[in-house]
Amino acid sequence: MIKIGTLTCLHSNNVCARVGCLKAFQNRSDFFDGYSPDTLLGAMMTCNGCKSVNPKEPDVDEEILEKIDRLVSEEIKVVHVGACRLDREKKECPRIAKICEMIESRGIQVVRGTHRES
Ligand code: SF4
């Protein structure tokens, strides 16, 4: 059994009920293809917002660091990052990219994708 998690954009909370991510996980489809039936979705984290509302960069944001510590203590092995990491031009948000780097630096694999993007 392994534990995995998701990372999404805080703004996406306004319009997203995580249905696409959860459905793909339950069906082991799209980016969750190949996980064994006993895989546990053990964490669903967001960033802590854009610079305009949260001036702290992710690497000095104690609350982000606390969330990543929690991923480690929960033995989350892989974090899947939602399509909400991309802007309209399909460019990845630099803050979420930084968080991905921070997660990887703690020995957790990052996979960019949850469900297929239309
Ligand atoms: S920092 Fe990036 S991922 Fe976070 S709310 Fe802003 S746009 Fe979304």
Side-chain angles (χ1 to χ4, degrees), residues 8-12 46-51 53 84-85 93-96 99:
T8 49
C9 164
L10 187 65
H11 282 320
S12 71
T46 66
C47 75
N48 282 355
C50 300
K51 204 177 180 72
V53 293
C84 48
R85 73 190 185 280
C93 166
R95 292 201 133 194
I96 219 152
I99 296 170

Side-chain angles (χ1 to χ4, degrees), residues 13-117:
N13 279 340
N14 297 344
V15 292
C16 175
R18 309 285 177 255
V19 171
C21 294
L22 288 169
K23 198 183 278 184
F25 173 70
Q26 305 288 17
N27 296 333
R28 302 292 189 272
S29 62
D30 300 353
F31 291 87
F32 297 104
D33 185 28
Y35 283 114
S36 64
D38 64 353
T39 303
L40 191 73
L41 180 56
M44 298 184 87
M45 87 176 248
T46 66
C47 75
N48 282 355
C50 300
K51 204 177 180 72
S52 54
V53 293
N54 176 15
K56 283 187 187 168
E57 289 301 326
D59 55 349
V60 291
D61 183 337
E62 301 85 355
E63 291 167 336
I64 286 285
L65 291 162
E66 190 178 327
K67 287 197 266 193
I68 296 175
D69 281 347
R70 188 79 168 127
L71 298 180
V72 172
S73 70
E74 282 299 307
E75 300 186 342
I76 301 292
K77 300 294 181 209
V78 187
V79 169
H80 285 257
V81 195
C84 48
R85 73 190 185 280
L86 304 170
D87 66 15
R88 284 200 178 84
E89 282 77 47
K90 302 283 179 203
K91 205 169 148 261
E92 187 167 82
C93 166
R95 292 201 133 194
I96 219 152
K98 182 71 205 173
I99 296 170
C100 290
E101 243 181 76
M102 293 165 68
I103 290 172
E104 283 173 325
S105 78
R106 300 294 300 277
I108 298 171
Q109 187 190 349
V110 169
V111 174
R112 282 166 163 84
T114 54
H115 57 92
R116 291 271 169 232
E117 296 138 31

